[in-house]
C-alpha cells in the first residue's frame, strides 16, 4: 500500500553504525531505523542469540510458559521501577496495553468512571485508533472516523493546563519524557517531577511512553531516571529488541495485578525468539560501563552539534534533545526533509521530526570518532542544502 514516502535506497548489509546498499554505497546510520537498531547492525552477540534461539524454538504461544520471557521480565524488573512486565510487539501495542492497564486499575479500585487520560501537544504514541486519539495530531486523525474518546490534550510543559484538565473522569497522565516524532523536545525534569506529584495528589496514574527515548538512549536505562521519579506504568519498544520486533509494558504491582487472565493478550507477545533478542540487548546495555559510554559519546556529539550551530547560525535555530536522541531545529526556508536528502547525498542517514527538526538517533554503540564524522557530514550537507536554496531564492 502507498503508506510510506520511501527514499530510493535499499540496504543489503550493515556493520556497526554503517549500512551498504546493493550497489556498494556506504552510509553512516544516524537514524537506526528510527531509534531502533540500538546495538547497530550485525552485532555479533545479538545475531548469535537470534540464530541459536531460532534453531531451538521460535514460537509456542502464551498457552505455555516461556523461559526466555520469564528471564527477560525478571531482568527488566530487577533493573527498573517495575514489578511486572507484559510483552508485545510494537510501541503502539504497548501503549494500548498501558492505557488498558490504567483504566482497569481505576475500575478495579472502585473508580470505573475514571477512564480519561491527559496527553500532550506534540506527542506521538502510535497509529492504532486509540493511540491516534492520544497523539491528537489532526493530520493523522483525518479520515479515520470519530476520534476514540478518553484523551484530553494539553500544551507540553504547562502545569497549570494539566491541573485544569484534571476532572472527575481523569484516570492518569501519559507523556514521553522526550518527545521524539513531535520534534525532539525533552520535558523539563522539574515538569516530570511535578507530574508525579500531581498524580499522587489527585490519586491518578502516571504512564510514561519510553518507546523512543528508553532502553539506554538517554544515557540511563530509562529516561525518567534523570528526573529521579518512578511512573506507575511505562511502555517500551524500538530499542528493546535491537531491531527485532518486541514491545513491553512495565508496571508496578498496584497496576499490573488487575490485568488478570482474559483481560489482555497477544499471540506473538514475548515469544522465545523475540525474548532471546531482548535478553541479548540487555546483556550489552547492562554491561558495566556501557551506559556511561552512551552518556559520554552523547555529550561529545552535543558539543559538536552546538559548534555546528555556531558555524551555521542562519540555518540552525537550536540543538535539542537528550542523550543520543538529538534534534537540529532548522531555520526556514531550509526544511528538514531537504536537509535530510542533502545528508543522504553526503552518506549520512538521519530522520526528520516535527517542528522542522532533523533528528539524530544513532546506534548506542557509536564512537566519538563516528560522532565527529557524522557532524562533518552534516556540515557538508548543510552547505549543500544552502547552495540549493540560493538559486531557489534568486528565482523568487
Ligand atoms: C514515543 C513513541 N511511542 C510510540 C510509538 C509507536 O511505536 P510503533 O511504531 O512501534 O508502533 C513511537 C514510534 O515512533 C514513538 O516514538
Amino acid at each position: 500500500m502507498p503508506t510510506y514516502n520511501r527514499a530510493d535506497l535499499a540496504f543489503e548489509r550493515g556493520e556497526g553504525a554503517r549500512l551498504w546498499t546493493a550497489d556498494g554505497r556506504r552510509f553512516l546510520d544516524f537514524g537506526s531505523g528510527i531509534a531502533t537498531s540500538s546495538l547497530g547492525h550485525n552485532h555479533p552477540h545479538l545475531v548469535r542469540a537470534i540464530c541459536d534461539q531460532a534453531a531451538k524454538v521460535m514460537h509456542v504461544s502464551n498457552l505455555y510458559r516461556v523461559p526466555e520471557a520469564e528471564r527477560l521480565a525478571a531482568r527488566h524488573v530487577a533493573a527498573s521501577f517495575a514489578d511486572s512486565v507484559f510483552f508485545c510487539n510494537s510501541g503502539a501495542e504497548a501503549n494500548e496495553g498501558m492505557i488498558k492497564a490504567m483504566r482497569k486499575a481505576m475500575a478495579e479500585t472502585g473508580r470505573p468512571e475514571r477512564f480519561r487520560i491527559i496527553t500532550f501537544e506534540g506527542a506521538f504514541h502510535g497509529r492504532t485508533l486509540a493511540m491516534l486519539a492520544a497523539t491528537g495530531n489532526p493530520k493523522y486523525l483525518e479520515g479515520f472516523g470519530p476520534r476514540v474518546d478518553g484523551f484530553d490534550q494539553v500544551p507540553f510543559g504547562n502545569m497549570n493546563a494539566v491541573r485544569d484538565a484534571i476532572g472527575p473522569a481523569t484516570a492518569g497522565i501519559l507523556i514521553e519524557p522526550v518527545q521524539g516524532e513531535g520534534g525532539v523536545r525533552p520535558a523539563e525534569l522539574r515538569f516530570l517531577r511535578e507530574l508525579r506529584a500531581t498524580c499522587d495528589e489527585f490519586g491518578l496514574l502516571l504512564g510514561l511512553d519510553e518507546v523512543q527515548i528508553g532502553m539506554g538512549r538517554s544515557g540511563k536505562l530509562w529516561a525518567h531516571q534523570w528526573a529521579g521519579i518512578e511512573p506507575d506504568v511505562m511502555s517500551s519498544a524500538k530499542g528493546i529488541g535491537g531491531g527485532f520486533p518486541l514491545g513491553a509494558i512495565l508496571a508496578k504491582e498496584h497496576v499490573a495485578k488487575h490485568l488478570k487472565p482474559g483481560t489482555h493478550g497477544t499471540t506473538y507477545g514475548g515469544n522465545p525468539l523475540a525474548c532471546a533478542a531482548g535478553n541479548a540487548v540487555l546483556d550489552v546495555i547492562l554491561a558495566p560501563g556501557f551506559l556511561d559510554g552512551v552518556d559520554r559519546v552523547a555529550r561529545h556529539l552535543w558539543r559538536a552539534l552546538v559548534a555546528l550551530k555556531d558555524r551555521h547560525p542562519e540555518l540552525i535555530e537550536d540543538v535539542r534533545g537528550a542523550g543520543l536522541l538529538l534534534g537540529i531545529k532548522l531555520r526556514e526556508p531550509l526544511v528538514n526533509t531537504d536537509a535530510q536528502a542533502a545528508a543522504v547525498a553526503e552518506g549520512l542517514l538521519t530522520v526528520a521530526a516535527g517542528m522542522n527538526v532533523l533528528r539524530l538517533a544513532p546506534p548506542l554503540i557509536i564512537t566519538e570518532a563516528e560522532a565527529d564524522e557524522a557532524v562533518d557530514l552534516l556540515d557538508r550537507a548543510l552547505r549543500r542544502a544552502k547552495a540549493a536554496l540560493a538559486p531557489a531564492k534568486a528565482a523568487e
Side-chain angles (χ1 to χ4, degrees):
M1 294 188 189
T3 41
Y4 304 107
N5 272 322
R6 298 174 193 272
D8 187 16
L9 289 169
F11 300 107
E12 189 182 49
R13 70 191 171 88
E15 190 77 48
R18 312 266 168 195
L19 278 170
W20 284 265
T21 58
D23 56 4
R25 291 175 69 195
R26 189 176 92 134
F27 291 86
L28 185 58
D29 183 8
F30 266 48
S32 308
I34 320 188
T36 296
S37 307
S38 46
L39 305 190
H41 304 285
N42 196 17
H43 191 285
H45 184 62
L46 178 58
V47 171
R48 169 85 6 238
I50 290 172
C51 292
D52 286 353
Q53 188 61 49
K56 288 189 212 160
V57 59
M58 281 193 249
H59 176 77
V60 292
S61 88
N62 289 303
L63 296 174
Y64 311 102
R65 288 181 56 187
V66 181
E68 297 77 13
E70 289 176 8
R71 177 162 174 260
L72 183 58
R75 296 176 77 195
H76 271 296
V77 164
S80 75
F81 72 95
D83 301 311
S84 276
V85 182
F86 176 90
F87 291 115
C88 55
N89 313 283
S90 71
E93 198 188 345
N95 282 334
E96 287 272 342
M98 171 159 65
I99 300 302
K100 280 180 70 179
M102 290 164 88
R103 288 184 175 186
K104 194 73 167 172
M106 286 291 160
E108 295 287 310
T109 52
R111 297 169 289 173
E113 72 288 355
R114 290 196 172 267
F115 70 97
R116 305 191 72 82
I117 307 289
I118 295 172
T119 66
F120 293 90
E121 287 170 15
F124 185 80
H125 299 298
R127 298 285 194 157
T128 57
L129 288 169
M131 286 312 107
L132 286 179
T135 294
N137 184 334
K139 202 173 73 186
Y140 299 154
L141 282 157
E142 196 187 316
F144 295 112
R147 183 174 169 163
V148 171
D149 190 24
F151 299 94
D152 299 306
Q153 203 161 52
V154 300
F156 191 61
N158 186 330
M159 208 53 228
N160 288 336
V162 171
R163 293 181 76 90
D164 284 350
I166 295 172
T170 305
I173 297 172
L174 169 64
I175 187 167
E176 297 156 82
V178 180
Q179 288 190 340
E181 305 296 315
V184 192
R185 274 201 301 177
E188 281 185 26
L189 299 182
R190 187 173 48 106
F191 184 63
L192 293 176
R193 289 185 200 115
E194 284 171 2
L195 289 179
R196 176 69 273 174
T198 303
C199 283
D200 293 342
E201 181 186 341
F202 288 89
L204 308 178
L205 297 171
L206 179 62
L208 296 182
D209 177 343
E210 292 226 18
V211 165
Q212 186 154 164
I213 189 61
M215 275 307 291
R217 187 159 288 283
S218 73
K220 290 193 189 288
L221 185 59
W222 302 111
H224 64 263
Q225 294 175 272
W226 289 104
I229 59 157
E230 292 186 341
D232 299 291
V233 55
M234 178 181 80
S235 58
S236 174
K238 291 190 181 278
I240 196 173
F244 196 92
L246 177 64
I249 310 166
L250 286 79
K252 287 200 183 267
E253 183 62 10
H254 65 92
V255 175
K257 69 180 179 192
H258 302 296
L259 287 183
K260 299 194 181 85
T263 57
H264 195 54
T266 162
T267 299
Y268 284 127
N271 82 16
L273 191 54
C275 290
N279 274 305
V281 170
L282 262 194
D283 291 340
V284 175
I285 290 185
L286 293 183
F290 183 84
L291 287 170
D292 289 340
V294 172
D295 189 44
R296 204 173 319 118
V297 77
R299 288 172 196 271
H300 180 86
L301 178 58
W302 174 272
R303 283 191 294 271
L305 289 173
V306 170
L308 182 74
K309 168 179 175 268
D310 292 342
R311 285 201 293 286
H312 298 281
E314 75 290 7
L315 300 178
I316 301 179
E317 187 178 316
D318 192 16
V319 176
R320 55 216 235 172
L324 286 177
L325 181 60
L326 296 175
I328 303 171
K329 182 163 167 53
L330 300 170
R331 281 189 203 282
E332 287 188 18
L334 181 58
V335 292
N336 56 359
T337 46
D338 290 342
Q340 184 188 11
V344 165
E346 297 294 344
L348 178 71
L349 303 177
T350 61
V351 191
M355 306 175 103
N356 203 23
V357 166
L358 189 66
R359 179 173 17 163
L360 304 179
L364 306 185
I365 46 93
I366 56 157
T367 60
E368 291 188 0
E370 285 166 332
D372 290 339
E373 186 185 339
V375 176
D376 281 349
L377 295 173
L378 276 172
D379 194 20
R380 288 197 220 184
L382 287 175
R383 286 175 207 282
R384 180 187 282 267
K386 190 175 166 182
L389 280 180
K393 230 176 167 187
E396 269 171 19

